[in-house]
Amino acid sequence: MKILIVGGGISGKRFVESYFFDEYNIDICGLNINGKAQKLAEKYKLNYFNISELKLCYINKYDCIIISTPPESRSEILNKIISLKYKNKLIIEKPFALNIEEAKQYVKLLKNNDFEVCYSRRFEPCKYKIKKSIINNYTIIWPVNINVISKETNYIHHLLPHIIDWILMNFKIDATKVKIEKMSNSHFTIKYKKNTFKIYFINVNSDEKVSINGIHYDWPNYIKINHLILDSVLNNHNKTKHDILNNAIILEKAIKEDIYE
């Protein structure tokens, strides 16, 4: 099996670590000379090339292309890949899109491709059941290990989508009727009918667990999850597509709240 990983940040590194010891042929692709992707390829002695070097004559030799870059470059990369008539599988790092218009454009663009989005808890849902609250209030404490993720991380783009998807996985929600309140750079409140979800991102130096109403949940094992994601997309067992538009609707509201504060 031949896999192309686009991007060399935390996500790209984890995908390489997940598949490196399997019998997969991995190439790395990046957007910048001497960027993170090129350094990742050098570390693992993998073939590297720039996104501009992708060619029509060989792109379909890849059984799966993994896009693990920030959302700001998503449109450029997807349009490049589809313009070259790529027909095989895609794995796309979350968030899929930052707003509903963008999400619809990507879904239309990928109409001929099977794809999965990296909402990791979707692949082990039994582990991430949220115990229903009698009073419909949920306090979510999300520790951010500052040894792994910078204090300057944009929580809205990089972490909030995971929580939104977790909520969507456990509650039947009309995303158009969700309300977002941004209290600070690390505190959000999501309201839907009688349900209130208070989200706090806290900086820590250790691997503390996420908690919801005092119940602690293990972090997903990214090596195991990345194999489940790959297996899902290769075998057409899509687990994320039905909620990616709802996620984009809620995320767009959070981003607008951030702009207007």
Side-chain angles (χ1 to χ4, degrees):
M1 181 185 302
K2 197 163 184 63
I3 296 174
L4 175 65
I5 299 174
V6 184
I10 292 174
S11 173
K13 178 176 178 291
R14 287 179 170 177
F15 275 111
V16 170
E17 291 172 347
S18 298
Y19 305 141
F20 185 74
F21 296 103
D22 296 296
E23 294 182 2
Y24 301 147
N25 190 337
I26 302 172
D27 289 345
I28 305 289
C29 181
L31 281 70
N32 303 303
I33 297 174
N34 294 321
K36 291 180 179 179
Q38 186 170 353
K39 292 176 181 177
L40 180 65
E42 290 170 354
K43 178 179 178 180
Y44 286 91
K45 296 180 172 56
L46 299 172
N47 182 45
Y48 171 82
F49 54 89
N50 188 274
I51 187 74
S52 63
E53 298 176 278
L54 269 175
K55 303 295 182 183
L56 175 63
C57 60
Y58 67 79
I59 190 170
N60 279 295
K61 72 180 181 180
Y62 293 109
D63 300 284
C64 183
I65 295 179
I66 300 170
I67 301 174
S68 60
T69 60
E72 293 79 13
S73 59
R74 190 71 41 79
S75 178
E76 174 190 352
I77 295 167
L78 284 177
N79 277 286
K80 172 72 173 179
I81 289 171
I82 299 306
S83 72
L84 294 174
K85 304 186 187 307
Y86 182 67
K87 298 297 184 182
N88 294 330
K89 316 291 185 174
L90 286 156
I91 293 173
I92 301 171
E93 186 54 74
K94 53 77 191 157
F96 178 71
L98 298 179
N99 57 66
I100 186 61
E101 181 180 352
E102 193 174 65
K104 287 180 178 179
Q105 289 175 353
Y106 294 165
V107 168
K108 183 177 180 180
L109 188 66
L110 298 172
K111 63 183 179 181
N112 295 319
N113 300 86
D114 293 315
F115 67 90
E116 279 288 8
V117 183
C118 300
Y119 293 118
S120 52
R121 288 161 183 79
R122 288 273 173 180
F123 297 88
E124 290 188 305
C126 292
K127 286 187 176 182
Y128 299 102
K129 292 285 186 183
I130 297 176
K131 184 176 180 180
K132 298 300 188 292
S133 166
I134 296 175
I135 58 175
N136 302 312
N137 289 332
Y138 301 87
T139 298
I140 301 172
I141 308 295
W142 190 283
V144 180
N145 189 330
I146 57 177
N147 295 317
V148 178
I149 299 176
S150 168
K151 289 182 180 179
E152 288 72 39
T153 294
N154 187 323
Y155 296 140
I156 297 178
H157 289 189
H158 297 283
L159 300 179
L160 193 60
H162 274 308
I163 298 176
I164 292 171
D165 191 69
W166 198 348
I167 292 170
L168 289 172
M169 188 172 72
N170 282 273
F171 295 84
K172 293 182 179 179
I173 286 178
D174 179 351
T176 63
K177 296 181 180 179
V178 166
K179 295 182 179 180
I180 297 275
E181 295 177 1
K182 180 175 181 291
M183 313 304 292
S184 71
N185 288 330
S186 57
H187 176 195
F188 299 83
T189 298
I190 297 175
K191 293 186 176 181
Y192 178 71
K193 294 185 177 180
K194 295 180 180 180
N195 293 309
T196 298
F197 304 90
K198 294 183 178 181
I199 301 162
Y200 300 87
F201 295 106
I202 59 169
N203 293 322
V204 298
N205 292 306
S206 60
D207 291 323
E208 292 186 21
K209 295 180 179 180
V210 175
S211 69
I212 301 179
N213 287 355
I215 298 174
H216 292 83
Y217 296 82
D218 289 331
W219 293 104
N221 180 323
Y222 68 84
I223 291 178
K224 177 181 179 181
I225 294 299
N226 284 344
H227 278 91
L228 291 174
I229 293 173
L230 182 61
D231 178 72
S232 176
V233 73
L234 290 177
N235 292 290
N236 304 319
H237 298 153
N238 186 276
K239 297 184 184 301
T240 63
K241 194 176 293 186
H242 64 289
D243 252 338
I244 57 174
L245 296 183
N246 285 330
N247 198 304
I249 290 171
I250 299 173
L251 186 58
E252 179 177 7
K253 292 181 180 184
I255 292 172
K256 286 184 177 179
E257 184 66 30
D258 182 51
I259 292 172
Y260 297 145
E261 184 173 275

